[in-house]
Amino acid sequence: MAVTALYSAHYRSLVRLAVLLVRDMATAEEVVQDAFVAIHGAWRRLRDTDKALAYLRQSVVNRSRSVLRHRAVVEKYAPKGLPDAPSAENGAIGELERSAVIEALRGLPARQREALVLRYYGDLSEAQIAHAMGISKGAVKSHTARGMAALRTSLEQLS
């Protein structure tokens, strides 16, 4: 089946994309699984099955945004004073989080971070990024340029 072939070929890269956006391996895997379940259910309704990977990327980006919005609401209304307990995921991705580039990426606004991750990590074209993020190609150029300038400044300050 076509969905199985897509899963085999692109699952890992989509999880890596989601990890960079949601900063949590377990949540990233869940986001990607949900995207694959959605495309499986919608497969017959897809007009152009050649664009299924683009649909999956867009779905992963949108679902990652939803996760981040949900986290913001939960954090806003979380009870104060609870002790922090490290999770197993923290240990698993701890090495990745120590990178100066990842830290600098975290300081960027969400749209700039998404544009940079899709461009330089996902190796997508401006048109593909625009489609995945639901914005124009000009906006992609703007977010990418501003993000690169902010990253450069942040990394120069660390040196």
Side-chain angles (χ1 to χ4, degrees):
M1 176 179 229
V3 176
T4 305
L6 271 173
Y7 184 89
S8 297
H10 300 287
Y11 174 78
R12 287 183 178 201
S13 65
L14 290 170
V15 169
R16 288 190 302 259
L17 168 65
V19 165
L20 290 170
L21 296 174
V22 300
R23 303 177 211 121
D24 174 17
M25 179 65 90
T27 305
E29 288 174 342
E30 194 172 314
V31 163
V32 173
Q33 287 293 339
D34 289 347
F36 274 103
V37 168
I39 198 169
H40 182 266
W43 191 259
R44 289 190 173 113
R45 293 187 309 270
L46 286 178
R47 290 187 200 128
D48 187 358
T49 56
D50 293 335
K51 294 183 180 177
L53 180 58
Y55 172 89
L56 278 168
R57 277 193 202 108
Q58 183 174 7
S59 181
V60 167
V61 169
N62 288 339
R63 290 168 191 274
S64 296
R65 286 179 187 161
S66 293
V67 165
L68 294 174
R69 279 192 301 271
H70 177 74
R71 280 185 188 166
V73 169
V74 167
E75 288 174 13
K76 182 177 179 180
Y77 296 105
K80 305 297 182 217
L82 293 177
D84 291 337
S87 66
E89 294 83 18
N90 286 343
I93 62 172
E95 191 66 32
L96 177 65
E97 291 181 343
R98 291 185 189 105
S99 167
V101 175
I102 297 297
E103 285 299 319
L105 271 172
R106 285 183 173 167
L108 294 178
R111 291 293 175 114
Q112 290 177 11
R113 183 176 59 247
E114 289 172 7
L116 291 176
V117 167
L118 291 169
R119 176 68 185 109
Y120 295 104
Y121 182 78
D123 200 28
L124 300 182
S125 69
E126 287 175 352
Q128 291 170 318
I129 296 168
H131 181 72
M133 291 178 67
I135 59 177
S136 69
K137 285 183 6 180
V140 169
K141 290 178 185 180
S142 176
H143 288 309
T144 303
R146 289 179 182 154
M148 286 301 293
L151 272 180
R152 191 175 302 112
T153 302
S154 177
L155 291 173
E156 286 173 355
Q157 289 174 352
L158 291 175
S159 317

